[in-house]
Amino acid sequence: MNRLFHVPLSPFCRKVRLSLAEKKIEVELVEERYWEQQPEFMRRNPAGKVPVLKMGGRVMTESAAICEYIEEAHPQPALMPEGKDARFEVRRLVAWFDDKFHQEVTSKLLYERVNKKIMGRGYPESKNVKAGAQKIKYHLDYMGWLLDQRRWLAGDVMTLADFAAAAHLSALDYISDVDWNRSAVVKDWYAKIKSRPAFRSILADQVPGFPPPAHYADLDF
Amino acid sequence: MNRLFHVPLSPFCRKVRLSLAEKKIEVELVEERYWEQQPEFMRRNPAGKVPVLKMGGRVMTESAAICEYIEEAHPQPALMPEGKDARFEVRRLVAWFDDKFHQEVTSKLLYERVNKKIMGRGYPESKNVKAGAQKIKYHLDYMGWLLDQRRWLAGDVMTLADFAAAAHLSALDYISDVDWNRSAVVKDWYAKIKSRPAFRSILADQVPGFPPPAHYADLDF
């Protein structure tokens, strides 16, 4: 049986969960309190972070490398387009969300509000929360600008770039940090992706001490 | 003409330069003081960072996506192996160096000692420099452990993983922050990669105010 060691609100884990679910690859989800750095977990994964995917006898880390592997091992339904230009754009946007968006927004909002409490590392820094709340506007506008020209973020088909973005936004939506009224095209895009069967497991997530708002799992939000 | 906007000691730029040079793709190097965020540069690149590659009418950012693009556009000589398992290992290690190694070592040593001065952002924090000098030992040992089992970092052929690692280590070697006596296999590996024609431009780099040590460009270091 495939196993994914994860935490529910991690955008990197969610991206991998979405890829697996879209391709109908069954996986057992195992929550891993990776910040406690248990010896058994560290042995499997010297980088000490999640996601870690056990699949076909391999133990894999690094979410971008995992998603490329899943794509090569299970090409259908495709989450990478044909053509090197289109593939570049997908990889550029995955890096944009996992690097820039993560640093400017996710780490400032989700990590301050949720991870710190779960990990017992004190209270949110309001300076960071404010900075994240400011920056997410710019990112939503950038997504809106892309979606004015394209059906999906990287082009005319749904790709890993959409899953990377949806992984971050869904985690932030769990703590009501996304203003869906800012951009109608972004809201439409999220409604489309949220209604996919692959999204169900993510909408069912529950983090003790942090009940999700009613709109979180509502397809008509 | 292809153009690469870069800074000489950036490991992300060096990785792209090595890929281009190994494939004999000619490129004009343009130094870009990206931290000054000049409007013309920001227009080309909303992420505001280097490398930025202009190639065949495209403007590309994100070094990992750029390297995958170069590989798809110019497959020979190959820097990605055949086979999904081998390709996974390359991508995992590229992420290891560009994410974990960068955060734990490069940002603590190179950025403190060089970038801060060039950017006019004050003096090195000795706490960070100490932490980086400590962590590089662990990383050199990890590389040694890999190279005890393999000819190159990701397997039996040279790949992007070797270029990612060499990009970081060469930048740190420019400021004498690599102890080559720590691991004989790592030193042998670096000697092999350093002697490739693709490495020449990197060994010729000069940063005003920071003359490289004599051993930096010496193939018999």
Side-chain angles (χ1 to χ4, degrees):
Chain A
M1 180 64 174
N2 304 317
R3 271 190 177 183
L4 184 72
F5 298 87
H6 82 128
V7 297
L9 296 185
S10 153
F12 305 102
C13 297
R14 286 184 163 208
K15 181 181 60 176
V16 172
R17 289 164 70 191
L18 288 168
S19 284
L20 291 166
E22 187 71 21
K23 290 167 185 289
K24 301 198 169 40
I25 301 167
E26 294 211 6
V27 65
E28 181 192 357
L29 294 177
V30 181
E31 276 197 51
E32 177 65 52
R33 297 169 68 84
Y34 63 91
W35 57 92
E36 293 176 355
Q37 311 254 308
Q38 303 287 352
E40 159 115 25
F41 179 66
M42 296 304 288
R43 194 174 50 72
R44 272 195 302 266
N45 173 22
K49 59 187 186 179
V50 288
V52 175
L53 178 63
K54 269 185 84 167
M55 186 157 104
R58 291 191 65 96
V59 177
M60 293 185 280
T61 59
E62 295 296 346
S63 70
I66 290 173
C67 287
E68 295 264 6
Y69 178 88
I70 295 171
E71 196 61 27
E72 296 193 2
H74 301 269
Q76 294 304 328
L79 293 172
M80 284 293 275
E82 298 285 324
K84 60 186 189 307
D85 288 344
R87 297 161 71 84
F88 166 78
E89 184 64 355
V90 173
R91 291 179 175 129
R92 179 186 78 80
L93 284 169
V94 170
W96 175 281
F97 287 101
D98 285 349
D99 182 5
K100 188 174 174 71
F101 186 97
H102 179 259
Q103 194 184 320
E104 294 179 350
V105 182
T106 312
S107 72
K108 299 287 193 290
L109 294 172
L110 188 70
Y111 290 14
E112 289 292 337
R113 290 198 210 273
V114 180
N115 296 34
K116 267 189 169 176
K117 185 168 173 192
I118 292 177
M119 297 178 187
R121 293 188 185 162
Y123 295 98
E125 285 238 28
S126 66
K127 185 183 60 150
N128 287 341
V129 172
K130 261 187 212 155
Q134 191 56 38
K135 279 284 188 182
I136 194 174
K137 295 179 191 170
Y138 159 79
H139 281 281
L140 290 171
D141 292 348
Y142 179 58
M143 292 175 70
W145 179 78
L146 290 173
L147 291 166
D148 275 338
Q149 307 162 61
R150 306 166 172 179
R151 288 186 57 215
W152 296 91
L153 286 174
D156 284 337
V157 293
M158 190 186 72
T159 66
L160 272 177
D162 298 288
F163 280 179
H168 284 272
L169 287 178
S170 64
L172 292 165
D173 193 37
Y174 188 97
I175 52 172
S176 298
D177 266 335
V178 184
D179 173 11
W180 295 113
N181 292 322
R182 189 163 178 94
S183 160
V185 287
V186 173
K187 188 176 177 181
D188 286 351
W189 163 85
Y190 191 61
K192 269 196 294 183
I193 209 163
K194 193 176 180 178
S195 64
R196 297 186 83 81
F199 231 81
R200 274 181 211 147
S201 137
I202 277 173
L203 297 181
D205 279 341
Q206 292 280 348
V207 181
F210 294 91
H215 76 264
Y216 172 72
D218 187 354
L219 297 184
D220 190 21
F221 57 108
Chain B
M1 179 65 174
N2 304 318
R3 271 189 178 183
L4 184 73
F5 298 86
H6 82 128
V7 296
L9 296 186
S10 153
F12 305 103
C13 297
R14 287 185 162 208
K15 182 181 59 175
V16 172
R17 288 164 70 191
L18 288 168
S19 284
L20 292 166
E22 187 72 20
K23 291 168 186 288
K24 302 200 170 34
I25 301 167
E26 294 209 9
V27 65
E28 181 192 356
L29 294 177
V30 181
E31 276 196 51
E32 177 65 52
R33 296 169 68 85
Y34 64 91
W35 58 93
E36 293 176 355
Q37 312 253 305
Q38 302 286 352
E40 159 117 25
F41 179 66
M42 296 304 288
R43 195 175 49 72
R44 272 196 300 265
N45 173 21
K49 58 185 186 180
V50 288
V52 175
L53 178 63
K54 270 185 84 169
M55 187 156 105
R58 291 192 65 98
V59 177
M60 294 186 279
T61 59
E62 295 297 345
S63 70
I66 291 173
C67 287
E68 296 263 6
Y69 178 88
I70 295 171
E71 195 62 26
E72 296 192 3
H74 300 269
Q76 295 302 329
L79 292 172
M80 284 293 274
E82 298 285 324
K84 60 186 190 308
D85 288 344
R87 296 161 73 84
F88 166 77
E89 184 65 354
V90 172
R91 290 179 175 128
R92 179 186 78 80
L93 283 169
V94 170
W96 175 281
F97 286 102
D98 285 348
D99 183 6
K100 189 175 172 71
F101 186 97
H102 179 259
Q103 195 184 318
E104 294 180 349
V105 181
T106 312
S107 72
K108 300 287 194 289
L109 294 171
L110 187 71
Y111 290 14
E112 290 291 337
R113 290 198 211 274
V114 179
N115 296 34
K116 267 190 169 175
K117 185 167 174 195
I118 292 176
M119 297 178 187
R121 293 188 185 162
Y123 294 96
E125 285 238 27
S126 66
K127 186 183 59 149
N128 287 341
V129 172
K130 261 187 212 156
Q134 190 56 38
K135 278 283 187 181
I136 195 175
K137 296 179 191 171
Y138 159 78
H139 281 281
L140 290 171
D141 292 349
Y142 179 57
M143 292 174 70
W145 179 78
L146 291 173
L147 291 166
D148 275 337
Q149 308 162 60
R150 305 165 172 180
R151 287 187 58 215
W152 296 91
L153 285 173
D156 284 336
V157 292
M158 189 186 71
T159 67
L160 272 177
D162 298 288
F163 282 178
H168 284 271
L169 287 177
S170 64
L172 293 166
D173 193 37
Y174 188 97
I175 52 171
S176 298
D177 266 336
V178 184
D179 173 11
W180 295 114
N181 292 321
R182 188 163 179 96
S183 160
V185 287
V186 172
K187 188 176 179 183
D188 285 352
W189 164 86
Y190 190 62
K192 267 196 295 183
I193 209 162
K194 193 175 181 180
S195 64
R196 297 186 83 80
F199 230 80
R200 275 181 210 149
S201 137
I202 277 174
L203 298 181
D205 278 340
Q206 292 279 347
V207 181
F210 295 91
H215 75 265
Y216 172 72
D218 187 355
L219 297 184
D220 190 22
F221 56 108

